[in-house]
Amino acid sequence: MPVLMELSYEREDPFAVKLAFYGPVGVMARWHFSRDLLLGGMNGSAGEGEVKIWPSKESSVGSALFLRLGPEECHAVLAVLRSPVSHWLAHTFKTVPLGREMAEVDWDEERRQLFRSV
C-alpha cells in the first residue's frame, strides 16, 4: 500500500511546518512541528518528546533523513530522502527568512483571537 508524504509551510504560521501522510483512503496522519526543528535535524539530531529528526551518517545526495513521530512507547520511524526535504526547506526560507518569522505575524488578528474568548 503506497503512502504519500506532503510537507507544507504557510506564511501565516511562520514557525511551523506541517507533515501529512496520505494513503488509499485519504489523510492517515498529520503532524505539526517547528521549522527550526526540521532545520536542526538536517545536520544533526534534533528534537525531544514526540518528534525527533536526524540525518543518516552518509553525506551523499541519496542520504536519508529519519523522523521519529509519536510517544516513546508507540512511535513510527520514517526514512525519507534528505535532498528533496533540504530543497523544500530552503524554499521556506525564501518565503519567510530565518529570524524574520515574528515580522510575518498579524498581531492585530492575534489580539482579536485572544480577546474573542474573554
Side-chain angles (χ1 to χ4, degrees), residues 37-86:
L37 175 65
L38 183 57
L39 178 61
M42 295 301 293
N43 295 308
S45 182
E48 296 179 15
E50 293 195 0
V51 178
K52 294 183 181 179
I53 303 171
W54 67 96
S56 62
K57 294 198 187 319
E58 309 91 45
S59 60
S60 67
V61 173
S63 65
L65 185 66
F66 297 101
L67 297 96
R68 191 189 74 109
L69 305 170
E72 189 65 38
E73 61 278 357
C74 179
H75 62 270
V77 176
L78 309 161
V80 297
L81 287 175
R82 187 172 164 216
S83 182
V85 175
S86 179

Side-chain angles (χ1 to χ4, degrees), residues 70-109:
E72 189 65 38
E73 61 278 357
C74 179
H75 62 270
V77 176
L78 309 161
V80 297
L81 287 175
R82 187 172 164 216
S83 182
V85 175
S86 179
H87 291 301
W88 178 86
L89 187 59
H91 179 71
T92 73
F93 291 122
K94 290 178 184 172
T95 302
V96 177
L98 186 63
R100 298 284 305 152
E101 294 91 351
M102 295 296 282
E104 299 295 326
V105 175
D106 182 346
W107 292 108
D108 291 332
E109 180 58 26

Side-chain angles (χ1 to χ4, degrees), residues 30-46:
R30 291 185 198 274
W31 286 85
H32 297 208
F33 51 90
S34 84
R35 182 172 71 159
D36 286 347
L37 175 65
L38 183 57
L39 178 61
M42 295 301 293
N43 295 308
S45 182

Side-chain angles (χ1 to χ4, degrees), residues 4-8 10 17-22 25-33 50-51 69-70 78:
L4 299 174
M5 181 184 95
E6 176 185 58
L7 281 166
S8 61
E10 298 171 1
V17 295
K18 296 173 183 142
L19 175 62
F21 298 98
Y22 297 90
V25 294
V27 176
M28 295 171 53
R30 291 185 198 274
W31 286 85
H32 297 208
F33 51 90
E50 293 195 0
V51 178
L69 305 170
L78 309 161

